[in-house]
Amino acid sequence: MSIITLSAVQMADKLAAGEITSRELVQAHLDRIAEVDPKVNAFLHVNAEEALSVADEVDADRKAGKPLHRLAGVPIAVKDLIVTKGQPTTAGSKMLEGWVSPYDATVIEKIRAAKLPILGKTNLDEFAMGSSTEHSAYGPTRNPWDLDRIPGGSGGGSAAAVAAFEAPLALGTDTGGSIRQPGAVTGTVGAKPTYGGVSRYGAIAMASSLDQIGPVTRTVEDAALLQELIGGHDPKDSTSLPEALEGLAEAARTGGGGSLAGLRVGIVAELQGEGYQDGVEERFKEAVELLRGAGAEIVEVSCPNFVHALSAYYLIMPSEASSNLAKFDGVRYGQRRLPENPPVTIERVMSATRAHGFGPEVKRRIILGTYALSAGYYDAYYGSAQKVRTLIQRDFAAAFEKADVLVSPTAPTVAFELGSKLDDPLAMYLNDVATIPANMAGVPGISVPAGLSEGLPVGVQFLAPATEDARMYRAGAALEKLLEEKWGGPLLGKIQDLTAAPAGSAADAASNDAAGEH
Ligand code: GLN
């Protein structure tokens, strides 16, 4: 059990020192997946053969003295929204059941070039729409801390895999919080890079102006290293930044050691109070005191338009999603359904395919989006939401005059019970109140484990100005180190023994619900 609980950097060091081989490391993870994933359901697909053959290549290269990437041979899991040649990509939807991409996403090309064995594809809310992974067409993922609770969403599979020691590294996507909120509720680190910092080419688009691919890991340094690996300009993504963001891992390393003197940390007045659980606020306040103790200057900032971020997001995101999802029409990708009765016209095939292939949450958002974009309502809804977006960007600009980084709880609550919010979309949407502003402005954000409340993980979020990802990693690593000194080790050291844990119970009802038509 011990090798698989290490950080990716620690694993890489053992590989470099010849203490273990990549084959042993990959096999240990495959064994762990076989043992615990029937309980957790983090993976939709495992590709043992491919992972082991990449591991063998790395071991041979190392023997031959060839230069290798720092993370070469360390296995990784990939959210099943990111396309992979030769492995299925479902987006958590029946629509893409059985579909295999003919090409790799840019991030996957980079991971293959650096020779990280890809263990498989992880579960998610259908087309990344949700905060609990219960909207997957393939049954929910369970939180490894408590199998009757949700692992967050939409990237619950990646976060649960990392928390359950099934993979040391994973990729996620974050449109409104789907990397950071699962990180918070599973006690893992999740980072959303600056918009454009990582190519989106090959990430199935949800809302293109908000989506970013990012790392899910056990430590801040691992996240920084992984972002450096997958980041940089990509001619295939016209929104990718011209220059790679550099110095991220270095910032995480030095941030973990140095003092915080001179760092101005802004507490956002609007990202606390009503709606945030007491236990979450307590852990947050303790984290702020630790930062203060390490020399940071704590300042109060106000971002008055953040209170409208959620409403504006739920107009912009569905609008873009309704347009992005129009391509799933039964003609170009995945499933095709014929109408039950003739005539078999193209419109009726599309309609039958979409009625069958999409789950209730996806349909809800497509309807919301087409409504918000329809002639006569466009200005009132979509147009107003875009104005709010500009105001949020101005709030950030003003806040970053007073503070170098902003800090807040990542999610308002700890992990809730499976099934408890499935019938209440608005309650589900509220999980992202603290994470959405970053997507609206394109700024980077990271969630760092900040302790437990009621035995469940709480996350603290750092936000930095666009392209200042290194600053975010520095602050995140500093807090991580302060907390580990306090606890005497990483938070994941306190997670339950999954091999002994009885299988959870509440999820079956939830999975039927998610798959059924409302
Ligand atoms: N939970 C949010 C939503 O449902 C965020 C999704 C995401 O970031 N992919 O829209």
Side-chain angles (χ1 to χ4, degrees):
M1 168 104 180
S2 65
I3 282 180
I4 57 173
T5 63
L6 299 176
S7 72
V9 162
Q10 288 170 329
M11 290 179 193
D13 288 346
K14 287 199 179 292
L15 287 171
E19 287 172 38
I20 44 166
T21 64
S22 178
R23 171 169 272 268
E24 285 164 355
L25 189 59
V26 168
Q27 191 59 55
H29 284 98
L30 293 170
D31 292 347
R32 175 71 175 177
I33 292 170
E35 190 172 23
V36 304
D37 212 52
K39 290 178 187 170
V40 178
N41 196 30
F43 282 87
L44 293 178
H45 175 75
V46 176
N47 193 339
E49 211 178 303
E50 186 191 306
L52 287 168
S53 95
V54 173
D56 287 344
E57 249 181 72
V58 174
D59 290 335
D61 285 356
R62 204 180 297 277
K63 248 192 187 154
K66 290 195 189 157
L68 285 167
H69 186 276
R70 177 94 198 271
L71 293 173
V74 179
I76 187 166
V78 176
K79 187 181 186 181
D80 205 21
L81 193 71
I82 300 173
V83 305
T84 43
K85 204 171 164 175
Q87 292 197 28
T89 300
T90 65
S93 178
K94 275 192 277 182
M95 186 63 94
L96 287 177
E97 198 169 2
W99 181 72
V100 177
S101 168
Y103 70 101
D104 274 329
T106 297
V107 292
I108 300 297
E109 277 180 359
K110 290 182 183 234
I111 279 169
R112 291 197 204 278
K115 298 194 179 167
L116 279 70
I118 298 175
L119 293 167
K121 307 297 291 287
T122 57
N123 201 9
L124 68 156
D125 288 294
E126 185 174 4
F127 287 103
M129 298 177 184
S131 299
S132 67
T133 315
E134 292 167 292
H135 293 307
S136 167
Y138 304 99
T141 298
R142 295 159 186 258
N143 191 319
W145 289 81
D146 176 345
L147 295 169
D148 282 329
R149 289 178 188 260
I150 59 101
S154 62
S158 282
V162 171
F165 307 119
E166 295 174 87
L169 299 168
L171 291 182
T173 65
D174 191 310
T175 302
S178 286
I179 291 176
R180 290 164 287 157
Q181 180 257 5
V185 301
T186 59
T188 55
V189 174
K192 182 197 89 69
T194 293
Y195 184 78
V198 175
S199 167
R200 290 181 294 108
Y201 181 74
I204 296 174
M206 177 185 179
S208 315
S209 76
L210 303 161
D211 299 343
Q212 260 302 277
I213 296 176
V216 179
T217 61
R218 291 188 196 125
T219 69
V220 174
E221 186 185 353
D222 285 358
L225 261 175
L226 184 54
Q227 185 181 329
E228 276 183 2
L229 167 58
I230 60 175
H233 179 68
D234 179 10
K236 292 184 189 137
D237 174 0
S238 61
T239 62
S240 76
L241 298 169
E243 305 285 342
L245 300 171
E246 283 171 352
L248 310 181
E250 177 62 21
R253 266 192 299 274
T254 52
S259 115
L260 288 178
L263 188 78
R264 298 169 305 163
V265 175
I267 299 180
V268 187
E270 288 76 12
L271 297 183
Q272 51 184 313
E274 203 193 323
Y276 290 81
Q277 282 176 347
D278 291 345
V280 169
E281 296 221 305
E282 279 164 30
R283 294 293 87 76
F284 171 65
K285 285 183 181 138
E286 284 167 15
V288 170
E289 285 320 308
L290 281 176
L291 295 169
R292 196 197 303 274
E297 182 192 338
I298 308 296
V299 296
E300 289 267 347
V301 299
S302 173
C303 296
N305 295 293
F306 280 17
V307 298
H308 306 301
L310 192 72
S311 337
Y313 171 84
Y314 275 97
L315 289 166
I316 293 170
M317 174 275 298
S319 297
E320 294 187 19
S322 70
S323 162
N324 277 324
L325 267 56
K327 61 179 168 282
F328 300 104
D329 55 7
V331 179
R332 281 168 280 200
Y333 305 98
Q335 295 284 309
R336 178 179 302 162
R337 272 277 157 137
L338 298 180
E340 275 175 23
N341 304 305
V344 183
T345 62
I346 183 129
E347 284 82 9
R348 284 170 52 81
V349 171
M350 286 183 189
S351 168
T353 301
R354 288 166 70 83
H356 166 78
F358 289 142
E361 182 62 24
V362 174
K363 287 177 184 160
R364 181 179 295 124
R365 296 197 194 194
I366 290 173
I367 291 167
L368 262 173
T370 42
Y371 182 79
L373 289 177
S374 57
Y377 291 111
Y378 184 95
D379 284 338
Y381 294 114
Y382 186 73
S384 307
Q386 289 292 16
K387 286 180 191 156
V388 170
R389 189 170 185 176
T390 303
L391 295 175
I392 290 167
Q393 288 162 355
R394 287 189 194 152
D395 278 358
F396 268 116
F400 285 128
E401 303 244 308
K402 293 192 192 149
D404 302 308
V405 292
L406 304 181
V407 67
S408 79
T410 309
T413 71
V414 294
F416 47 90
E417 283 180 4
L418 281 148
S420 64
K421 295 192 183 175
L422 209 46
D423 291 329
D424 186 350
L426 291 182
M428 191 70 92
Y429 297 169
L430 279 170
N431 289 292
D432 300 311
V433 278
T435 46
I436 281 173
N439 303 78
M440 297 290 261
V443 306
I446 190 170
S447 180
V448 178
L452 301 177
S453 166
E454 302 162 35
L456 294 164
V458 171
V460 160
Q461 167 180 247
F462 288 95
L463 303 167
T467 74
E468 297 292 345
D469 300 42
R471 197 188 292 173
M472 159 188 98
Y473 281 116
R474 178 179 169 228
L479 177 64
E480 176 182 63
K481 175 144 189 280
L482 293 165
L483 285 167
E484 285 191 6
E485 277 166 6
K486 188 172 146 182
W487 303 324
L491 186 68
L492 276 180
K494 300 182 205 273
I495 201 168
Q496 65 172 331
D497 176 4
L498 276 173
T499 56
S505 57
D508 296 337
S511 90
N512 293 339
D513 240 21
E517 305 286 314
H518 280 250

